[in-house]
Amino acid sequence: MCLYSLGIAAYTAAIKAVAPWKPKARKWVEGRRGIFERLEAAVSGSSKPIVWIHASSLGEFEQGRPVIEMIHERYPEYRILLTFFSPSGYEIRKDFAAADWVFYLPADTPHNVRRFLDIVRPKFAVFVKYDYWLNYLKELKNRKIQTYIFSSLFRRNSIFFKPWGWMFRRALGTFELIFVQNEESKRLLAEIGFDNVIVAGDTRFDRVAALPAQASRYPLIEHFKGESRLFIVGSSWRPDEDLLVPFVNAHPDVKFVIAPHEMEQPRIERLINECAGGVVRYSECRTERDVEGARVLIIDVIGILNQLYQYADWVYIGGGFGVCIHNTQEPATYGVPIAFGPKYHKFKEACDMIALGACASVTTTEELEEWFAPLKADEKRRAHFARIAADYIAANKGATELIVRTIFEV
């Protein structure tokens, strides 16, 4: 543990060193400045027990969101402290209404951990998916604070199953219960001696299943689409766009919405220059007149993509030529056939929906065309696979209910 703590201290020092030149690192540092004083001022007046929920970043927050909202709604006798490790989570969700307080998580050094827990004194500690901070988990165990983790996934090649992963195996022993997404994770944990495991499923299904009922109308998008059919590209990277630009130009009778994952100016300008048929940026459209005559609309704002899928007839999800694809559940819940690149195998939902025919993996523009052509030509075929996608999401709901009920009512 000494080497681990030294590693955490070295990581923190490195972040501080690059902060003047790296905006994300600067936010990481500035967000933790004076954090204990601010935290104590916030929670010291609370007479209610505190549930501490930690999410690493924005993706984990979205996975944990239905659990947080259910606790907030059902158990008003508790107050909720939500912490983030990453600025990409904190900066976007620091005003999240279902949490009483939102803070950065202080770095995982023994001194910080003791001070944090002395101030917060949580009744329960709940971690979303991963972020196994060893000093926090050890101290939670020492203080006999009930600690849980949910929506976890374990694979044979992860550190827990390596000979040198003993510290992380020991950390698993701090959890009262481990809620995993699938049976494989439960089997793997049983092999190393853990039977306090419940297969609850993936809370993201509960989150995305609620999206259609909560989605706002976007008159600008409705006017842009008009009587045309709409193809939405979500979270695209440069390799996705290399594949997509010729495809976009080959279908002048289809409207396209493209939401790049990174919104730097050169990439957007490239899309504007290379996509034919009139291209406009969402941020520059003030009235419906601004989208008239355009065939491609670039979404250069954050936070609306998961609602725009309600207007899609087909969707392409980016990231499959990099580390992994982005969220396929969000478009699926609206009932849309989906394509993506080749790196999807870590996501059970993507594998499942490929097997069902609702999704397809493509590696070239030609393969994308082969997938798209019959769906474009035959509306009944498109609607059939769209319904399969929506039904798949609906059939996998329920993890949130099981997790919350087990933690609070057992």
Side-chain angles (χ1 to χ4, degrees), residues 39 43 46 48-54 64 67-72 74-83 98-102 116-117 120-128 140 145-148 150 403-404 407-408:
L39 186 61
V43 307
S46 176
K48 297 180 179 181
I50 294 172
V51 179
W52 167 35
I53 300 176
H54 176 70
V67 170
I68 300 169
E69 291 176 335
M70 187 174 286
I71 294 171
H72 173 76
R74 291 192 182 178
Y75 302 97
E77 65 271 25
Y78 289 89
R79 303 194 76 178
I80 298 171
L81 168 67
L82 172 63
T83 60
D100 294 281
W101 311 285
V102 183
F116 177 87
L117 293 177
V120 177
R121 294 171 302 181
K123 175 72 173 178
F124 304 122
V126 185
F127 290 73
V128 183
L140 286 164
I145 296 170
Q146 291 184 32
T147 304
Y148 302 87
F150 67 86
I403 291 163
V404 173
I407 291 174
F408 284 84

Side-chain angles (χ1 to χ4, degrees), residues 139-176:
E139 190 65 18
L140 286 164
K141 182 74 169 180
N142 291 343
R143 297 187 185 210
K144 296 180 170 58
I145 296 170
Q146 291 184 32
T147 304
Y148 302 87
I149 189 165
F150 67 86
S151 287
S152 293
L153 276 173
F154 294 88
R155 298 182 178 88
R156 177 74 64 185
N157 62 353
S158 63
I159 192 170
F160 303 98
F161 309 102
K162 303 294 185 183
W164 57 86
W166 62 269
M167 282 195 302
F168 288 89
R169 287 193 292 274
R170 188 169 67 182
L172 291 177
T174 65
F175 294 112
E176 188 83 8

Side-chain angles (χ1 to χ4, degrees), residues 232-388:
I232 293 184
V233 177
S235 299
S236 62
W237 293 81
R238 177 65 183 263
D240 300 300
E241 292 156 10
D242 289 341
L243 174 152
L244 284 159
V245 167
F247 175 79
V248 170
N249 293 340
H251 293 278
D253 57 333
V254 175
K255 296 285 186 74
F256 288 84
V257 164
I258 302 176
H261 184 72
E262 300 289 347
M263 299 178 191
E264 65 270 20
Q265 188 65 19
R267 285 186 58 204
I268 292 177
E269 288 180 354
R270 177 197 177 225
L271 289 170
I272 292 172
N273 292 332
E274 295 187 7
C275 291
V279 184
V280 292
R281 298 174 62 151
Y282 185 85
S283 64
E284 295 178 353
C285 297
R286 300 291 181 265
T287 69
E288 294 176 357
R289 183 178 298 176
D290 293 327
V291 298
E292 289 180 1
R295 196 173 65 86
V296 179
L297 177 62
I298 297 175
I299 305 300
D300 55 350
V301 298
I302 294 173
I304 67 171
L305 177 60
N306 65 10
Q307 298 187 67
L308 298 189
Y309 291 129
Q310 66 182 296
Y311 300 110
D313 295 287
W314 314 273
V315 165
Y316 177 95
I317 293 296
F321 291 91
V323 176
C324 59
I325 59 171
H326 293 283
N327 195 318
T328 58
Q329 293 173 325
E330 289 175 353
T333 195
Y334 292 101
V336 189
I338 304 160
F340 41 73
K343 294 186 179 178
Y344 65 88
H345 296 90
K346 290 183 178 180
F347 294 94
K348 181 178 183 296
E349 64 273 15
C351 297
D352 288 348
M353 287 193 286
I354 282 180
L356 293 168
C359 291
S361 174
V362 300
T363 57
T364 65
T365 303
E366 291 72 24
E367 289 180 2
L368 179 61
E369 191 66 58
E370 288 175 9
W371 167 79
F372 179 67
L375 297 174
K376 181 184 179 185
D378 186 345
E379 174 55 25
K380 288 185 178 180
R381 180 183 178 89
R382 190 206 69 81
H384 170 70
F385 290 115
R387 174 47 52 192
I388 289 174

Side-chain angles (χ1 to χ4, degrees), residues 216-228:
S216 301
R217 284 187 58 225
Y218 287 81
L220 190 73
I221 304 296
E222 292 172 4
H223 189 75
F224 170 74
K225 180 177 181 179
E227 298 300 317
S228 301

Side-chain angles (χ1 to χ4, degrees), residues 26-38 104:
R26 185 160 58 249
K27 289 178 180 178
W28 193 98
V29 172
E30 291 175 351
R32 289 167 168 81
R33 188 169 290 127
I35 192 168
F36 293 112
E37 292 77 13
R38 291 186 285 113
Y104 278 103

